Amino acid sequence: MNYTKILKEIKEEVEPLFKKGKVADYIPALKRVNPSHFAMSLQLFDGTTYDIGDTNTKFSIQSISKIFTYTMAISLKEKELYKHVGHEPSGNPFNSLVQLEYENGIPRNPFINAGAIVITDILASKYKDKTFDKILDFIRRVSNNKKIDFDKEVDDSEAEFGFRNIALVNMMKSFKNIANKTDDVMDIYFKQCSISMNTKELSKSALYLANHGVDPITKERFLSESQAKRLNSLMLTCGHYDASGDFAYRVGLPGKSGVGGGIVAIVPELMSICVWSPGLNSKGNSLVGTKALELFTTKTGLSIF
Ligand code: GLN
């Protein structure tokens, strides 16, 4: 497969769409990002990579961090987890409060904000004041890169304007689904959202998910085969909030998006992919990123279906 040629074609075909998306504007630190950025990286099992666009530019990984915190939590206490968070698509926006109220503070899945906050709380019960260091350390291990860090400006902005997230954690606390102090949990959650990475680093970080839980390059195991199956299934059904069905329909791969405009997707037993373009569609997923992945699976035939 001539991936270099395919990436070039994709870039040309998505360029007219750059102005169509809307950069996340819920915090000033993201509102400033130039919507014309585009980057796409493919990471194969033998270490070969293919890159196009601004692949060295870091962006805010935001909700993509949820796949890494869920990996950590599922390895800690999987059965216990299901009492606190489900595994059904929510059919609602990522920061919705409504469903959480009538479902007694148990979020539908770990990839909407409420579910990810519960996962952070579970990690906080185990790792106490070392929790964020543990998360960062885990992401440094999956990316095999000790330099990964968070962006202080984004973190401050998340904390200053995180009213809905603070409402979510308080609502869950009222249903006794949060064990730790809400401020402590949110401090960690905002930091994990603020981790900065580029598409090369993120595609590398998701490679273990394409290989049944084991990084095929370093041979390190991060999940059991069954756990990797379950996490990938969650990405397919819940990775794009209330547009998860649309993403699966158009792209046909497990994927996870973030409001920073990044999307990670995996082709089982072959590669992991990261695409970044900050302009979002109305559901908070990268508009160009989704299109680029749709073009990728259409041109290569590499979807899971
Ligand atoms: N920081 C964002 C929030 O909490 C993360 C959501 C996302 O990336 N979809 O609202």
Side-chain angles (χ1 to χ4, degrees), residues 10-254:
I10 292 173
K11 183 166 185 280
E12 280 164 18
E13 287 174 50
V14 297
E15 255 158 15
L17 301 175
F18 285 162
K19 297 259 146 50
K20 292 241 153 80
K22 194 165 163 285
V23 171
D25 57 4
Y26 71 100
I27 54 171
L30 290 183
K31 205 173 167 177
R32 278 197 281 281
V33 180
N34 175 355
S36 302
H37 280 299
F38 175 78
M40 190 163 182
S41 296
L42 314 181
Q43 171 74 55
L44 274 63
F45 280 22
D46 64 358
T48 314
T49 56
Y50 295 89
D51 300 290
I52 195 153
D54 311 322
T55 53
N56 290 315
T57 310
K58 303 238 187 201
F59 58 92
S60 193
I61 72 169
Q62 294 291 334
S63 285
I64 299 174
S65 64
K66 294 170 185 172
I67 55 179
F68 304 122
T69 50
Y70 194 64
T71 298
M72 291 172 75
I74 205 176
S75 316
L76 275 183
K77 45 173 180 180
E78 187 170 353
K79 293 265 154 54
E80 175 81 358
L81 221 58
Y82 303 136
K83 290 189 206 147
H84 300 281
V85 60
H87 33 267
E88 283 297 336
S90 67
N92 275 290
F94 60 86
N95 54 7
S96 170
L97 283 150
V98 181
Q99 195 171 49
L100 201 55
E101 163 79 355
Y102 65 74
E103 295 188 354
N104 304 317
I106 311 290
R108 280 281 177 105
N109 68 68
F111 293 160
I112 49 174
N113 288 10
I117 292 169
V118 165
I119 295 298
T120 302
D121 178 61
I122 288 168
L123 294 178
S125 295
K126 165 84 179 167
Y127 298 118
K128 317 284 177 207
D129 59 351
K130 299 275 180 303
T131 307
F132 181 68
D133 292 344
K134 289 278 180 188
I135 294 171
L136 195 54
D137 187 55
F138 182 78
I139 294 180
R140 287 173 177 169
R141 267 169 59 212
V142 284
S143 61
N144 205 8
N145 183 339
K146 293 198 169 58
K147 294 203 180 123
I148 306 296
D149 219 330
F150 75 104
D151 181 324
K152 173 110 181 47
E153 194 196 345
V154 176
D155 178 37
D156 289 345
S157 228
E158 292 280 352
E160 189 179 350
F161 297 95
F163 310 115
R164 288 189 78 87
N165 287 320
I166 293 164
L168 289 169
V169 76
N170 279 305
M171 167 115 66
M172 291 190 289
K173 183 91 178 164
S174 79
F175 283 107
K176 303 197 172 16
N177 197 22
I178 293 287
N180 296 282
K181 284 194 188 140
T182 55
D183 286 353
D184 294 348
V185 177
M186 294 322 288
D187 185 52
I188 305 160
Y189 176 77
F190 291 141
K191 281 200 172 60
Q192 76 182 59
C193 287
S194 309
I195 291 173
S196 282
M197 293 170 82
N198 60 37
T199 55
K200 288 182 185 180
E201 293 160 346
L202 262 175
S203 58
K204 168 76 191 63
S205 308
L207 199 56
Y208 69 100
L209 292 171
N211 189 39
H212 307 288
V214 178
D215 183 326
I217 299 172
T218 64
K219 312 289 180 223
E220 190 171 358
R221 179 173 285 287
F222 295 107
L223 288 176
S224 73
E225 200 165 332
S226 300
Q227 289 168 336
K229 175 192 74 179
R230 291 195 275 277
L231 204 154
N232 286 329
S233 306
L234 271 178
M235 286 208 288
L236 185 73
T237 54
C238 311
H240 287 72
Y241 324 112
D242 45 342
S244 297
D246 183 60
F247 184 85
Y249 185 80
R250 288 170 55 192
V251 178
L253 292 175

